[in-house]
Amino acid sequence: MATGQPTAIAFRNWSDAGTILASSSLVLTPPSVLQDPHVARKWRGRLGESEYLTIDLGSVQQIDTVMLCGLNLTAAGVTRLRVSVADTSAQDGSEYDSGAAAGRVDPIYGTLLFLLPAPVSGRYLRVDLNEPGADYIEAGRLFVSVRHVLEFGISFGPNYRRIDRSGETESDGGQDYIDENNSRRCWTMNIPLMSAAFAFDVWDELDRVCGIRNDFLVIRDTSSAQLGRDTLWGRRKQIAGITQPNAFVDEHGAFSTSFEIYERL
């Protein structure tokens, strides 16, 4: 049995093959850092409370998911996404314009996520970022893609945990000494049912493109009002593969898989 929440994945990052420009940047923190897999390596602007990014994907792509993580905006931050097929500045927003609004970023998770209601064709994007009173604006990773909603969801019993990377030493007297470090999230999910089309056109392609080396995005509930909490950007450490436990759900059979994804820091 599967959960009722609409879970989705996205894995082809069109922005990694494109060109990212910013309204400003420091010498050692250019916007190209947003193509680095390590979120902790950040682009940082120098204009204070207002910055923007412009992205040229290099060619027209189908887009319905845009993520910026490692972001230092608070809930008061105002953001806007525009997508254009021909305007290199993307200011015309011909294909999509989210409008400017606050409250899209949860500062606990530092993730800005735009989930478009339907895919649009676009080449140029502009992301506006404004944080009243900020000394600077920075972000760690950009992701532009098209998402795939799991046809039948995930099975009940997923595991959502945090891995604390702190070290612990016990003294001769029995006292515990903690070498504090950061933590990362880790999600384990089972997908009990996939059609043959989804299994081989989507999931097998994810295995091919990402393997254990490349990151992908999991949104456990695309209808969530707390997308930062319910989104994980990370990679796997092993590939479970695709199995066929049932043969007669449709003329092509039914397939399943599982995965464990570790948050990228």
Side-chain angles (χ1 to χ4, degrees):
M1 185 177 293
T3 62
Q5 63 194 29
T7 301
I9 59 165
F11 57 92
R12 292 183 181 89
N13 191 356
W14 309 132
S15 68
D16 275 356
T19 301
I20 305 173
L21 302 176
S23 49
S24 75
S25 63
L26 299 176
V27 174
L28 298 179
T29 60
S32 59
V33 173
L34 294 168
Q35 295 168 318
D36 189 293
H38 301 288
V39 177
R41 297 175 182 171
K42 298 187 179 186
W43 154 74
R44 179 180 291 186
R46 51 181 171 79
L47 298 181
E49 64 182 30
S50 185
E51 300 280 358
Y52 65 85
L53 299 168
T54 55
I55 304 100
D56 177 1
L57 302 179
S59 61
V60 175
Q61 302 290 351
Q62 288 289 291
I63 302 164
D64 65 9
T65 303
V66 177
M67 178 202 72
L68 195 61
C69 63
L71 192 60
N72 69 329
L73 267 63
T74 69
V78 177
T79 60
R80 182 181 183 183
L81 169 68
R82 281 172 279 185
V83 181
S84 177
V85 73
D87 179 10
T88 58
S89 73
Q91 292 189 74
D92 68 357
S94 63
E95 306 309 305
Y96 179 77
D97 187 343
S98 70
R104 291 186 174 122
V105 179
D106 183 338
I108 294 175
Y109 299 96
T111 298
L112 172 64
L113 187 65
F114 292 97
L115 299 181
L116 282 60
V120 299
S121 297
R123 172 172 175 173
Y124 305 101
L125 295 84
R126 174 173 168 135
V127 181
D128 291 279
L129 306 166
N130 183 275
E131 178 66 35
D135 293 329
Y136 59 85
I137 291 175
E138 66 178 9
R141 191 74 167 101
L142 177 67
F143 178 70
V144 180
S145 189
V146 63
R147 66 186 180 273
H148 306 275
V149 176
L150 303 185
E151 301 161 299
F152 306 102
I154 59 173
S155 63
F156 287 112
N159 181 271
Y160 307 115
R161 69 186 189 274
R162 288 184 179 272
I163 301 172
D164 191 336
R165 301 179 59 252
S166 299
E168 178 182 353
T169 302
E170 183 177 317
S171 71
D172 291 340
Q175 292 79 31
D176 296 329
Y177 294 92
I178 306 300
D179 181 14
E180 292 190 14
N181 206 329
N182 57 10
S183 65
R184 63 167 54 170
R185 292 179 289 165
C186 178
W187 292 357
T188 303
M189 295 179 171
N190 295 310
I191 304 175
L193 186 60
M194 299 184 290
S195 68
F198 192 94
F200 295 106
D201 293 342
V202 178
W203 200 265
D204 186 60
E205 188 67 1
L206 183 153
D207 287 348
R208 184 187 71 82
V209 170
C210 294
I212 66 169
R213 61 196 180 276
N214 290 325
D215 306 325
F216 63 101
L217 184 69
V218 178
I219 310 165
R220 67 184 176 193
D221 183 0
T222 56
S223 64
S224 174
Q226 295 178 272
L227 283 172
R229 180 198 67 186
D230 293 330
T231 295
L232 189 62
W233 171 253
R235 70 177 187 90
R236 299 172 296 182
K237 295 187 177 182
Q238 60 182 0
I239 301 173
I242 299 168
T243 61
Q244 187 176 11
N246 299 294
F248 301 107
V249 171
D250 61 26
E251 66 272 22
H252 302 294
F255 300 83
S256 67
T257 191
S258 62
F259 67 96
E260 188 168 66
I261 181 171
Y262 293 79
E263 185 175 23
R264 198 67 127 134
L265 300 177

